[in-house]
Amino acid sequence: VTADALVLRLADCGIEARPAWTPLSQMGPFADEGRLGGSTARFLRKYAVAFPCSEDLTSAEQDEVIEEVADILNSAPLSRSSG
């Protein structure tokens, strides 16, 4: 499951999440610059997700996020990705 797909599915459940970050090498001003570790950064952009992390998040809310993520991942078709 890609980060974008997981974020959309969580939004359907009323849970706000977002892809973790965009690598500098994929931002306009830096697109033509040399880079190190580009494939790792692209992989992380594709799959890393920032989940709700407020200090006000209750244990019940944390459990809800965990359960929804588990349900989404368990219902996803199995596939392998080379990144």
Side-chain angles (χ1 to χ4, degrees):
V1 175
T2 65
D4 292 334
L6 183 55
V7 166
L8 289 174
R9 295 277 305 275
L10 288 171
D12 290 342
C13 301
I15 297 171
E16 185 177 339
R18 61 182 174 78
W21 46 268
T22 299
L24 287 175
S25 62
Q26 293 181 355
M27 294 182 181
F30 307 103
D32 295 329
E33 299 298 322
R35 57 185 127 317
L36 202 58
S39 62
T40 300
R42 284 189 302 277
F43 178 85
L44 290 173
R45 168 54 185 95
K46 187 172 183 178
Y47 294 105
V49 173
F51 296 110
C53 60
S54 168
E55 64 184 34
D56 295 332
L57 206 62
T58 66
S59 292
E61 290 168 330
Q62 291 174 34
D63 290 343
E64 179 185 356
V65 172
I66 292 166
E67 289 171 14
E68 292 297 344
V69 170
D71 287 347
I72 291 166
L73 295 179
N74 287 330
S75 68
L78 295 176
S79 65
R80 292 183 180 235
S81 173
S82 60

